[in-house]
C-alpha cells in the first residue's frame, strides 16, 4: 500500500489568494494511498523543505507530491530535499496549481479549488506508479571548441586554457581579432582597443593549451554534451593542405577535414555589418561620401588627416545618422544594436579633436547610453567638443555639387534643418554573421527571430543555448559592446569549466527506453526522433536509445506501432490511472 505525502504550498498569496488550500488538503486526505496531506506557506523555503524531510522519516513516506508552482521552478529543489531524507528523488513529483490553476482562475475561487484538487489527485496516481531511478553517468571529454576568433572567442579560449584544459579555436578568416581589429579606439578610453586586442591575440597564439585554426570552419557536429564529435574543414590558399601542412595525395573535395572529440562548444561568431546596399534611401552605395561607422573607423585608424572617399579632401562638416536601418521593421531590422549611440559619440569626438574648425552633427531618435560613465561621455561630446545633436530623423539625403545635402526636422523645436555635409556617416545595425543559420543547424542550436543564436533563458541562462553543452559568447547571441562581450565570454568559459570540473557527467534518467520483445526494428522511431537519439542495433536488430541525447519528448512513443517505445515514469498505465482519478 502506498504511503504518499502531499504538501500544498500557499506560495504567499499566489496560490492561497485564489485556491482554498486547506480544502485541497482535506480532499486529498480521503484519497487512497495518501498518508499525509498538509499545507505550508512557502514549501520551497528551507523550513518548507525541512517539513518534507521530517515527514518522510517520521511517516515512512514512499512518495511525495508537492502542489506548488511550475516544476520548471523548483522540481529540482524538492527532489534534492527528498533525496537527502533517503527517498529516491524520482518518487517526488510537482503538481502545478499556480500557473495552471490559481493564476488563470483568479475570478472563480470555487472552480479554482476544484481544479486544484483534481490536478493533485492525478499526480498522486502518477507517483504511486513511479519507479525509483538512478542518475545516468557518462564520461566527459575535457577539451573545448571555440568557434570564432573575435574578442569574445579569444577571452573564452584564454579562460578555459588558463584553467588547464586544451582548447581548439576555429576562425574562418585569415586573422584573429574580429571586428574589434577594425576599430581605431574605444569609447571612454580611445587608445585601449589596439593594445588590448594585441595582448589577447599574443596570449592566445602562444598559449601551450590553445590550438588556433584560421581559414577554417565547423562542417559537421554529432554527439552530445561532454562527448561531441566535430569535423573541422580548412581551405588552403593555393592548394588543399592537411593539418600537418602537407599536400593531400588524392583529389579531395573543397575542404580537407579532421575529426576530433570535444566536451563543450562555445559559439563566438560575432556579427556582420548591415549592407549599405540595403539603405538606398540614404544614398548608401550610390553616393561615395555616404559611409558606415566601420568605414569611418578605418579613416580614424590611420592617425593622420581624415579624408573623404570622393576627392580626398578633409571634410569640414560631417553628419552622423543614428538608427540607419535600426528599429525599423519595415525597411531594416526591428531591434536596437545598443552600441551605436556610444560609437557615434566617440567618432564625433575623435573627429572634432582631429579636424580643427570641423563641425559634427548627429541626427538621433533618442540616445541610449546605458552604462557607467556613458551618459557623461555623450554629454562631453556635446559640451566640450561642440557636437550638435539634432533630435529627428533624416527625411531626405541627396548629392548637390560637391556636397551631400541632408534634410531633416528638429522635433524639439519643430523647425526644418538643412545641412550641406562633406561626409555622411550611417550608424547601421549589427546583424548575425554570415553562415549563422547553417552553423546553428549543424550544432542543433536555436536562433531567434532576428537570426542570432538564442539563449536558453534571457535572465536565468543567458550564456547557454537550448542544446546542452553548447554555450554562447559575444555578439553571436545579439548586439553587444566590448565590455559586455568579454563578460559574457568569461561567463561561457565558467560554464565550460563547471562541466569539466567533474570526473563524469550525470544525466537525468527520465528518458525513453525500448521493450525489446515488442520491437520489430522497423526504424520508425529513428526517423521521428528530433534529437537523433535513436538507432537500430546492428547485431541485436532492435531499436536502441542514446540516453545522453534523449530529451524525453515522447515522439518515439507516439510513432511506435508496437508500443515498444516507452519513457521512464511516463508509462501508459500511469496516464490511464491519472485520467481515471478525475472521471
Amino acid at each position: 500500500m502506498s504511503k504518499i505525502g502531499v504538501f500544498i504550498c500557499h506560495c504567499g498569496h499566489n496560490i492561497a489568494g485564489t485556491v482554498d488550500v486547506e480544502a485541497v488538503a482535506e480532499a486529498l486526505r480521503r484519497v487512497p494511498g495518501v498518508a499525509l496531506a498538509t499545507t505550508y506557506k512557502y514549501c520551497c523555503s528551507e523550513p518548507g523543505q525541512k517539513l518534507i524531510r521530517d515527514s518522510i522519516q517520521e511517516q515512512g513516506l514512499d512518495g511525495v507530491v508537492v502542489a506548488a508552482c511550475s516544476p520548471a521552478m523548483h522540481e529540482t529543489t524538492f527532489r534534492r530535499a527528498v533525496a537527502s531524507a533517503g527517498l529516491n528523488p524520482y518518487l517526488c513529483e510537482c503538481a502545478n496549481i499556480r500557473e495552471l490553476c490559481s493564476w488563470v482562475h483568479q475570478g472563480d475561487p470555487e472552480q479554482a479549488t476544484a481544479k486544484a484538487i483534481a490536478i493533485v489527485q492525478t499526480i498522486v496516481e502518477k507517483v504511486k506508479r513511479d519507479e525509483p531511478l538512478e542518475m545516468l553517468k557518462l564520461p566527459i571529454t575535457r577539451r573545448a571548441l571555440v568557434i570564432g576568433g573575435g574578442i569574445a572567442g579569444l577571452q573564452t579560449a584564454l579562460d578555459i586554457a588558463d584553467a588547464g584544459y586544451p582548447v581548439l579555436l576555429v576562425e574562418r578568416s585569415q586573422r584573429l581579432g574580429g571586428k574589434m581589429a577594425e576599430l581605431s579606439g574605444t569609447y571612454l578610453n580611445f587608445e585601449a582597443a589596439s593594445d588590448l586586442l594585441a595582448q589577447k591575440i599574443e596570449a592566445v597564439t602562444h598559449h601551450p593549451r590553445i590550438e588556433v585554426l584560421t581559414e577554417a570552419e565547423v562542417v559537421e557536429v554529432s554527439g552530445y554534451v561532454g562527448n561531441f564529435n566535430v569535423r573541422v574543414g580548412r581551405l588552403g590558399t593555393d592548394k588543399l593542405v592537411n593539418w600537418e601542412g602537407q599536400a593531400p595525395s588524392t583529389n579531395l573535395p573543397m575542404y580537407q577535414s579532421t575529426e576530433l572529440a570535444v566536451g563543450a562548444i562555445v559559439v563566438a561568431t560575432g556579427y556582420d555589418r548591415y549592407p549599405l546596399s540595403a539603405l538606398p534611401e540614404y544614398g548608401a552605395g550610390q553616393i561615395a561620401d555616404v559611409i558606415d561607422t566601420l568605414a569611418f573607423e578605418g579613416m580614424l585608424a590611420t592617425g593622420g588627416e581624415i579624408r573623404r572617399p570622393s576627392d580626398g579632401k578633409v571634410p569640414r562638416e560631417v553628419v552622423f545618422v543614428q538608427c540607419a536601418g535600426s528599429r525599423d521593421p519595415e525597411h531594416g531590422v526591428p531591434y536596437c544594436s545598443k552600441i551605436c549611440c556610444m560609437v557615434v559619440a566617440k567618432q564625433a569626438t575623435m573627429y572634432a579633436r582631429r579636424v580643427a574648425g570641423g563641425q559634427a552633427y548627429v541626427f538621433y531618435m533618442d540616445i541610449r547610453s546605458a552604462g557607467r560613465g556613458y551618459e557623461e561621455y555623450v554629454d562631453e561630446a556635446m559640451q566640450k567638443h561642440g557636437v550638435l545633436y539634432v533630435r529627428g530623423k533624416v527625411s531626405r539625403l541627396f548629392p548637390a555639387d560637391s556636397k551631400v545635402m541632408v534634410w531633416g526636422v528638429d522635433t524639439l523645436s519643430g523647425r526644418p534643418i538643412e545641412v550641406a555635409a562633406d561626409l555622411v556617416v550611417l550608424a547601421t545595425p549589427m546583424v548575425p554573421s554570415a553562415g549563422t543559420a547553417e552553423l546553428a543547424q549543424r550544432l542543433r542550436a536555436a536562433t531567434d527571430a532576428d537570426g542570432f543564436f538564442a539563449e536558453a533563458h534571457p535572465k536565468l541562462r543567458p550564456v547557454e543555448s537550448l542544446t546542452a553543452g553548447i554555450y554562447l559568447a559575444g555578439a553571436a547571441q545579439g548586439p553587444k559592446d566590448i565590455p559586455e562581450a568579454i563578460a559574457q565570454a568569461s561567463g561561457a568559459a565558467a560554464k565550460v569549466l563547471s562541466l569539466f570540473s567533474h570526473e563524469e557527467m550525470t544525466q537525468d534518467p527520465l528518458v525513453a527506453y525500448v521493450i525489446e520483445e515488442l520491437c520489430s526494428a522497423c526504424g520508425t522511431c529513428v526517423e521521428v526522433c528530433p534529437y537523433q537519439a535513436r538507432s537500430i542495433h546492428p547485431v541485436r536488430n532492435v531499436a536502441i536509445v542514446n540516453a545522453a541525447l534523449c530529451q524525453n519528448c515522447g515522439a518515439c512513443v507516439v510513432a511506435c506501432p508496437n508500443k515498444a517505445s516507452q519513457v521512464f515514469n511516463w508509462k501508459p498505465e500511469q496516464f490511464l490511472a491519472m485520467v481515471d482519478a478525475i472521471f
Side-chain angles (χ1 to χ4, degrees):
M1 181 66 178
S2 299
K3 295 184 69 175
I4 308 297
V6 178
F7 301 86
I8 301 149
C9 184
H10 293 227
C11 197
H13 293 288
N14 281 297
I15 294 175
T18 302
V19 174
D20 186 343
V21 292
E22 296 300 335
V24 176
E26 180 61 32
L28 267 295
R29 293 185 188 112
R30 298 191 294 269
V31 174
V34 174
L36 171 69
T38 188
T39 69
Y40 195 78
K41 190 163 187 178
Y42 291 105
C43 287
C44 62
S45 66
E46 179 52 37
Q49 294 178 56
K50 185 177 186 299
L51 171 65
I52 296 172
R53 293 194 297 266
D54 292 346
S55 298
I56 291 171
Q57 295 173 343
E58 294 168 4
Q59 301 284 336
L61 302 178
D62 56 18
V64 168
V65 174
V66 183
C69 56
S70 165
M73 294 292 294
H74 287 298
E75 184 177 67
T76 301
T77 301
F78 297 128
R79 284 183 169 167
R80 285 174 180 166
V82 303
S84 66
L87 183 65
N88 187 281
Y90 294 95
L91 300 179
C92 170
E93 299 278 358
C94 289
N96 185 353
I97 62 170
R98 188 180 73 175
E99 284 85 347
L100 299 184
C101 192
S102 64
W103 278 3
V104 293
H105 301 296
Q106 293 182 18
D108 195 344
E110 184 177 342
Q111 290 298 318
T113 301
K115 183 178 179 181
I117 293 170
I119 289 173
V120 180
Q121 280 184 301
T122 64
I123 302 302
V124 167
E125 296 304 319
K126 181 181 187 300
V127 171
K128 288 180 183 179
R129 294 159 179 82
D130 276 345
E131 299 178 40
L133 303 173
E134 297 297 329
M135 295 291 287
L136 303 174
K137 295 183 178 180
L138 303 166
I140 298 176
T141 301
R142 294 180 177 181
R143 176 196 288 157
L145 168 67
V146 177
I147 308 174
I151 186 61
L154 296 172
Q155 185 66 51
T156 303
L158 282 173
D159 285 353
I160 297 172
D162 285 344
Y165 300 104
V167 178
L168 175 65
L169 177 63
V170 175
E171 167 58 44
R172 68 182 177 188
S173 69
Q174 295 180 342
R175 57 168 179 78
L176 299 177
K179 292 294 186 296
M180 188 173 171
E182 301 179 39
L183 302 183
S184 59
T186 56
Y187 42 80
L188 301 186
N189 183 346
F190 288 116
E191 288 73 36
S194 57
D195 291 344
L196 172 64
L197 188 62
Q199 292 168 12
K200 295 289 184 186
I201 294 175
E202 177 75 11
V204 165
T205 54
H206 290 87
H207 201 293
R209 296 189 186 92
I210 300 177
E211 180 182 3
V212 178
L213 298 178
T214 56
E215 295 184 278
E217 63 179 338
V218 174
V219 294
E220 186 177 349
V221 178
S222 60
Y224 48 89
V225 55
N227 295 275
F228 291 107
N229 294 310
V230 179
R231 190 159 63 90
V232 179
R234 186 174 186 179
L235 181 64
T237 51
D238 298 323
K239 59 183 179 180
L240 288 168
V241 295
N242 60 23
W243 296 119
E244 289 73 34
Q246 300 171 343
S249 57
T250 58
N251 185 20
L252 294 172
M254 179 179 181
Y255 287 102
Q256 173 71 20
S257 297
T258 189
E259 293 187 9
L260 67 156
V262 297
I265 300 172
V266 180
V267 181
T269 50
Y271 73 96
D272 274 347
R273 302 157 69 169
Y274 191 76
L276 285 178
S277 58
L279 296 170
E281 64 271 28
Y282 292 105
Q286 304 167 14
I287 304 174
D289 293 325
V290 176
I291 60 175
D292 64 12
T293 50
L294 272 178
F296 194 64
E297 285 286 338
M299 297 180 186
L300 295 171
T302 62
E305 288 187 321
I306 298 170
R307 298 186 178 277
R308 66 181 190 174
S310 62
D311 54 15
K313 292 182 179 179
V314 176
R316 295 297 170 185
E317 291 191 288
V318 176
V319 170
F320 294 87
V321 180
Q322 300 216 130
C323 298
S326 297
R327 303 165 66 187
D328 186 354
E330 292 184 5
H331 303 100
V333 300
Y335 53 85
C336 168
S337 289
K338 299 174 67 172
I339 69 167
C340 309
C341 291
M342 295 301 296
V343 168
V344 165
K346 179 201 77 171
Q347 292 187 344
T349 296
M350 293 181 75
Y351 166 78
R353 291 168 59 174
R354 202 77 74 77
V355 179
Q359 178 63 56
Y361 305 83
V362 177
F363 282 81
Y364 70 99
M365 295 169 60
D366 48 45
I367 300 173
R368 299 183 173 184
S369 51
R372 188 177 64 182
Y374 286 15
E375 186 69 19
E376 295 80 359
Y377 186 85
V378 175
D379 286 342
E380 185 177 291
M382 299 179 190
Q383 304 299 330
K384 184 177 179 180
H385 299 287
V387 179
L388 181 60
Y389 274 72
V390 180
R391 190 177 189 277
K393 294 204 72 171
V394 170
S395 59
R396 190 181 175 196
L397 192 153
F398 59 94
D401 296 329
S402 61
K403 301 283 188 177
V404 180
M405 302 303 298
V406 180
W407 288 0
V409 175
D410 182 351
T411 58
L412 297 179
S413 65
R415 299 172 62 181
I417 291 180
E418 178 181 286
V419 179
D422 297 306
L423 182 67
V424 174
V425 181
L426 305 179
T428 55
M430 304 166 75
V431 296
S433 61
T436 292
E438 293 79 5
L439 178 60
Q441 289 181 345
R442 293 177 200 137
L443 298 174
R444 300 191 298 278
T447 54
D448 62 18
D450 300 316
F452 292 99
F453 281 92
E455 69 278 11
H457 192 286
K459 296 183 183 295
L460 304 180
R461 298 170 63 191
V463 301
E464 301 173 61
S465 76
L466 288 167
T467 302
I470 297 179
Y471 307 97
L472 311 175
Q477 185 259 337
K480 290 178 178 62
D481 64 2
I482 293 170
E484 190 177 1
I486 292 176
Q488 191 184 20
S490 291
K495 287 291 183 180
V496 174
L497 296 178
S498 176
L499 175 65
F500 288 179
S501 66
H502 302 283
E503 292 291 336
E504 56 187 6
M505 183 176 61
T506 57
Q507 169 80 19
D508 196 314
L510 295 173
V511 296
Y513 67 98
V514 176
I515 304 173
E516 294 190 4
E517 293 79 5
L518 300 179
C519 180
S520 63
C522 66
T524 302
C525 62
V526 177
E527 295 176 3
V528 302
C529 179
Y531 301 100
Q532 299 178 353
R534 310 292 293 238
S535 61
I536 301 298
H537 195 283
V539 177
R540 301 206 309 271
N541 197 35
V542 293
I544 57 175
V545 179
N546 185 330
L549 290 176
C550 179
Q551 298 295 310
N552 193 20
C553 70
C556 57
V557 177
V558 176
C560 181
N562 295 346
K563 304 305 175 188
S565 290
Q566 301 291 327
V567 175
F568 285 111
N569 284 350
W570 281 108
K571 295 171 289 193
E573 54 265 34
Q574 290 180 285
F575 284 108
L576 294 173
M578 293 168 73
V579 173
D580 289 342
I582 55 176
F583 289 104

